[in-house]
Structures are given as C-alpha cells and as structure tokens.
C-alpha cells in the first residue's frame, strides 16, 4: 500500500520526521516523484532547512516542471534586463519582494510586475527601475524573468541569511495625509485588528466573538481593518468601541498609511500581517495549529519580520490559549506603551 496518504496525514499533524520517512517510502513504491518532492519541500521549510528544500526544487526542475509559476531558468542575472513577476497573492508579493534588491548589483534593469493594488507601494522601491501591472508589459523590454517567490532559491537563501531589515516598504508622505486614522491626540494606544483571512484557508480565521475579550481596555483605541463578509461582525458588535477603517479602496498603500498610525496590529495570517511586518510595525499574528510553512514549527518569533510575534493554537481549532496569551501580553504592552507615549509628549 502506498505510504503517501500516511505522509500527508503526518505532515498535517506536524510529525515532520515521520512525514519525510513516509514520503521516501512512497516514492520508492512508485508514487509520483514530483509530488513527493513537493511535500518534502514543505517539510524542510517547516524545519528551516532551506538548502534541502532548494535541492527538492532542483530535482523537480530536472524532471521537467509543468508549474506555470516556476519561471526562472537557472541562468545568471548579470547584465540582464530582469522582470520580477508577482504571480501569487498579495502577501507573497510583499514578503518576497525584499529579495529584489539583490538583483541590483547584477542586472542592467529591473522591472517589477505586480497586482494593480500594489503598484503605488512598490513604486517606492529604490532598486526597481519600473513597476507595472499585467497590461503594461512590452515583451522586448526584458531578457530574464523570475517569479518573486523564486528569488530566495536563486540567491540560495538560508535561515541565517534571510534579509530581515525593516522597514523595506515605505508610504509616501503625500499618502500619509489621506490616512483614515487621524494623527494622535491622546495617550491611548492604537490597536488594529483583523480576525478573518480570505477564503483561501478558513482554519486561519478567529471568530469575532472570541476576540471580544481583547477589546475591553479603556487605554486602547481599536481599529478594524477587516474586509469581506466578516467585516459585518465589527459593525454589528454591541457595546464594543471599534472604528472601522477597512474602507473600500483597493489600493494597498491606503492600508499601509493607516498601519503607520497605529501602535500594534493583532491579526490572523493575512496580507495585512505581511504589510505591517514589511513596514516595521509591531504585529502579533494568530496561527492555526498546522500553520503555513513560512512560520515553521513552535517558534514565537520569525526570521522574516523582526517586529512580529506569533501566537499559535496548541491543538487544531483551539484558539483559547493563544488568545489568553495575547490578552496577558496586551496588558504589558499597554502599560509600557502608555509610558512611552506620555514621555514622548512631555
């Protein structure tokens, strides 16, 4: 019997060493090598063994990848006109765009192709010669292409060499003037919240009523960044003072301007978490038990964003312990933050 389903189960339960052993057994039994290699890639990334993950990617490439998002041909970037394509989600683009600066010493020209919602933000990148969207491409303008999430492998990134300098994204001063959050006029700390992700993975969502216990402090002003169907929960919440700043604009620079006016973001695994981290803002992220590979295993911090802290489910579906930890930490954050604000205003 093929061991692949058992390997998937072990991976879901975060029994990583068991999953690796079972994946090797499944491949030896004739299961699709690329599928086994892809699952091993996830295992190695969860373990922080990036070099082993890159080797799996190379094995897939050597067998002939049919992945339309794997664009890099493995050739150098020296003296090339390079187009960096952001073909995954907003959060992926924000997280991995930091690697584009490593192209600057080699490439003759760098073009970033991204979602229309990210153009105004990525136009601030000092190393990008041009930032375009899907309809702005001239095929004759580039010699080499790479998808933004391929950049870490291209530069053979390890856990120790992740570029973690923040902020690496910046909001133009002119855009700050239009922030939906006014400049500070009190000693209250400002806390942003988001409790639901997109429909991509519902296990990331925290029911709004479970967050209610966090929203009772009179020392904080709470701001909802929640969009989509879950937004109505904050609008309908009785007895909770929370300001809705989610807005209707699709320009992510507007959300970035709002984040620059808060002291802390508490969120589930969403694009907004990456945006706050890239801006160098304090962000506390709630993670499901089987969290995404980029957050690895058990860590309370992350090498991707030095201002981010991780609060994990202790068992699948149980948010109680993570929320209890956040509430305790928030009390400390409020006490320390209020003192800092008071001192700054004296």
């Amino acid at each position: 019997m093929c061991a692949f389903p058992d390997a998937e189960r072990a991976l879901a339960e975060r029994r990583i060493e068991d999953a690796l052993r079972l994946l090797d057994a499944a491949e030896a039994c004739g299961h699709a090598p690329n599928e086994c290699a892809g699952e091993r890639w996830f295992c190695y990334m969860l373990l922080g063994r990036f070099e082993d993950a890159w080797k799996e990617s190379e094995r897939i490439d050597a067998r002939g990848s049919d992945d339309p998002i794997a664009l890099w041909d493995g050739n150098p970037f020296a003296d090339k006109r390079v187009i960096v394509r952001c073909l995954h989600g907003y959060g992926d683009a924000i997280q991995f765009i930091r690697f584009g600066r490593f192209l600057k010493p080699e490439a003759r020209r760098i073009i970033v192709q991204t979602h229309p919602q990210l153009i105004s933000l990525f136009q601030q990148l000092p190393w990008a010669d041009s930032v375009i969207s899907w309809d702005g491409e001239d095929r004759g303008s580039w010699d080499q292409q790479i998808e933004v999430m391929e950049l870490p492998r291209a530069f053979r990134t390890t856990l120790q060499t992740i570029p973690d300098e923040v902020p690496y994204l910046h909001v133009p001063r002119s855009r700050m003037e239009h922030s939906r959050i006014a400049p500070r006029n009190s000693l209250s700390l400002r806390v942003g919240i988001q409790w639901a992700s997109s429909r991509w993975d519902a296990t990331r969502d925290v029911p709004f009523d479970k967050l209610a216990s966090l929203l009772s402090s009179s020392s904080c002003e709470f701001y909802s960044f929640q969009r989509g169907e879950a937004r109505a929960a904050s609008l309908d919440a009785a007895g909770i003072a929370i300001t809705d700043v989610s807005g209707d604009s699709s320009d992510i620079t507007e959300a970035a301007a709002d984040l620059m006016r808060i002291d802390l973001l508490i969120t589930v695994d969403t694009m907004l978490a990456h945006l706050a981290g890239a801006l160098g803002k304090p962000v506390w992220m709630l993670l499901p038990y089987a969290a995404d590979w980029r957050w690895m295993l058990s860590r309370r911090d992350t090498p991707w964003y030095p201002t981010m802290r991780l609060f994990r489910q202790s068992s699948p579906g149980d948010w109680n312990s993570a929320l209890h930890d956040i509430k305790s930490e928030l009390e400390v954050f409020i006490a320390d933050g209020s003192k800092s604000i008071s001192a700054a205003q004296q």
Side-chain angles (χ1 to χ4, degrees):
M1 182 177 179
C2 177
F4 191 79
D6 293 333
E8 288 188 306
R9 189 177 307 111
L11 178 55
E13 294 172 355
R14 293 306 188 252
R15 294 183 288 110
I16 305 303
E17 296 299 338
D18 287 344
L20 287 168
R21 175 179 54 80
L22 290 163
L23 287 166
D24 289 343
E27 187 169 346
C29 291
H31 195 84
N34 282 0
E35 195 169 3
C36 292
E39 294 295 274
R40 279 195 296 266
W41 186 96
F42 280 106
C43 290
Y44 289 135
M45 294 302 279
L46 282 164
L47 294 172
R49 292 165 54 179
F50 288 11
E51 185 56 38
D52 288 325
W54 308 146
K55 290 176 182 177
E56 296 296 340
S57 298
E58 288 165 357
R59 293 186 183 105
I60 293 172
D61 287 348
R63 285 188 285 261
S65 171
D66 58 358
D67 183 355
I69 298 181
L71 305 177
W72 183 47
D73 58 13
N75 290 321
F77 304 105
D79 203 34
K80 296 287 183 63
R81 296 171 301 168
V82 181
I83 185 167
V84 178
R85 301 188 190 272
C86 302
L87 301 181
H88 288 80
Y90 302 142
D92 298 316
I94 290 168
Q95 179 178 4
F96 293 101
I97 199 65
R98 71 183 77 192
F99 289 93
R101 65 184 176 90
F102 293 145
L103 293 167
K104 194 64 176 177
E106 301 183 42
R108 177 155 40 106
R109 179 175 173 79
I110 304 171
I111 304 164
V112 174
Q113 184 184 51
T114 191
H115 317 73
Q117 295 86 349
L118 283 168
I119 285 181
S120 64
L121 192 63
F122 284 4
Q123 282 176 334
Q124 311 308 310
L125 294 166
W127 49 263
D129 296 297
S130 177
V131 180
I132 62 173
S133 192
W134 319 128
D135 58 354
E137 178 183 348
D138 175 2
R139 176 58 185 88
S141 66
W142 56 270
D143 313 304
Q144 175 78 292
Q145 63 177 336
I146 188 167
E147 210 284 324
V148 70
M149 291 185 71
E150 296 180 294
L151 286 169
R153 178 163 74 100
F155 292 104
R156 226 58 189 189
T157 303
T158 67
L159 194 62
Q160 292 72 34
T161 62
I162 292 173
D164 63 352
E165 300 88 351
V166 293
Y168 59 85
L169 293 180
H170 302 274
V171 181
R173 185 180 298 274
S174 60
R175 301 301 292 271
M176 285 300 304
E177 296 173 358
H178 301 287
S179 171
R180 288 163 290 205
I181 301 177
R184 187 187 304 279
N185 59 6
S186 73
L187 296 180
S188 297
L189 283 173
R190 295 170 158 190
V191 179
I193 61 169
Q194 186 169 16
W195 57 93
S197 61
S198 66
R199 295 180 180 178
W200 171 255
D201 185 356
T203 66
R204 299 180 182 184
D205 299 352
V206 178
F208 180 77
D209 57 3
K210 285 187 173 293
L211 281 178
S213 63
L214 300 178
L215 310 180
S216 58
S217 173
S218 60
S219 301
C220 289
E221 299 171 4
F222 292 98
Y223 297 86
S224 169
F225 285 78
Q226 185 63 56
R227 290 192 170 202
E229 296 176 2
R231 177 185 181 189
S234 66
L235 300 179
D236 296 339
I240 297 177
I242 182 169
T243 303
D244 177 27
V245 294
S246 59
D248 298 315
S249 172
S250 61
D251 190 344
I252 291 174
T253 302
E254 292 197 7
D258 294 336
L259 285 172
M260 294 302 296
R261 290 266 171 88
I262 67 170
D263 301 298
L264 170 68
L265 174 69
I266 299 174
T267 181
V268 294
D269 188 356
T270 63
M271 175 277 293
L272 199 70
H274 291 281
L275 182 59
L279 293 168
K281 299 297 293 184
V283 51
W284 295 355
M285 186 161 62
L286 288 149
L287 291 177
Y289 181 78
D292 191 74
W293 60 264
R294 68 200 75 201
W295 312 123
M296 296 186 285
L297 301 170
S298 303
R299 293 184 64 143
R300 298 293 299 270
D301 66 341
T302 169
W304 294 103
Y305 301 108
T307 61
M308 180 180 286
R309 295 182 60 187
L310 308 178
F311 295 81
R312 299 174 181 267
Q313 286 183 345
S314 56
S315 61
D318 180 17
W319 289 114
N320 292 333
S321 60
L323 288 168
H324 179 271
D325 290 345
I326 280 190
K327 186 172 184 180
S328 298
E329 293 293 332
L330 185 59
E331 292 172 358
V332 176
F333 188 88
I334 290 170
D336 293 343
S338 297
K339 293 175 185 176
S340 298
I341 294 170
S342 177
Q345 292 186 344
Q346 288 178 358

